[in-house]
Amino acid sequence: MTATCSCGRVELKALGRPIVSSVCYCDDCQKGADQIEALPSAGAVRDPDGGTAYILFRKDRIECCKGAELLRRYKLKETSATNRVVATCCNSAVFMNFDKGPHWVSAYRARFRGELPPLDARICTRFRADGVALPDDVPSYRGYSPGLVVKLLASRVAMLLGQ
Ligand SMILES: [Zn+2]
Ligand SMILES: [Zn+2]
């Protein structure tokens, strides 16, 4: 699968199946979207209902193959372990990763081209804005979904086993 920034100078390649695809409504993702959407000529990071859609990949299965020098990390606080990585050419949010620890990268779903994996769940919906009605096409969870946690653990085990 290929993801690009909106002007096309940055390109990511992801190999194999993603771990999961979910929409997150958590307060950090909303703050992160505020931060990025405030950059000059940045497009919307969130969907109109306030959720941010991601496709999660093992970090050994996704790489920036073009324009890596244009990437810049944004943090909510200087001490945050989470980075929201933006293509500075057009201020597109490209992916989210961690300084250390977790073994996955959350790529912004809107950046992918071609056929996308189906959505699995909406998570952290207790943070959504008042009055936002969620579609019932996939399950919604007030916190993290147990299925998501299981899939993340399973992918970690597979990675450790070299599969
Ligand atoms: Zn760009
Ligand atoms: Zn979130």
Side-chain angles (χ1 to χ4, degrees):
M1 289 175 69
T2 304
T4 60
C5 65
S6 65
C7 79
R9 288 169 71 187
V10 172
E11 198 173 303
L12 304 184
K13 280 241 177 317
L15 297 169
R17 282 197 316 152
I19 302 170
V20 73
S21 180
S22 56
V23 182
C24 188
Y25 293 80
C26 83
D27 49 349
D28 278 359
C29 286
Q30 297 201 45
K31 274 186 238 154
D34 283 339
Q35 190 182 28
I36 296 167
E37 286 171 355
L39 297 172
S41 69
V45 174
R46 276 166 291 199
D47 296 333
D49 69 357
T52 306
Y54 299 99
I55 304 177
L56 276 61
F57 292 93
R58 272 166 46 173
K59 63 184 179 188
D60 61 342
R61 291 198 172 159
I62 185 163
E63 59 170 15
C64 182
C65 52
K66 212 173 92 182
E69 70 283 0
L70 296 166
L71 297 176
R72 182 177 159 190
R73 298 179 306 167
Y74 285 85
K75 289 177 180 291
L76 290 180
K77 287 180 297 202
E78 231 165 272
T79 50
S80 300
T82 309
N83 304 298
R84 287 182 172 77
V85 180
V86 169
T88 53
C89 40
C90 53
N91 285 329
S92 306
V94 187
F95 60 89
M96 191 165 82
N97 68 5
F98 307 91
D99 288 334
K100 56 180 183 222
H103 60 282
W104 70 88
V105 168
S106 304
Y108 289 89
R109 185 178 171 95
R111 304 263 58 93
F112 285 87
R113 302 287 160 259
E115 207 179 313
L116 299 183
L119 206 58
D120 294 290
R122 292 186 168 78
I123 62 168
C124 301
T125 60
R126 69 178 183 277
F127 294 101
R128 74 186 187 277
D130 290 339
V132 168
L134 298 172
D136 58 5
D137 50 344
V138 296
S140 291
Y141 299 90
R142 288 178 53 75
Y144 291 95
S145 85
L148 170 69
V149 175
V150 168
K151 285 178 179 172
L152 287 172
L153 288 173
S155 70
R156 179 67 182 144
V157 170
M159 196 170 158
L160 288 172
L161 294 173
Q163 291 170 359

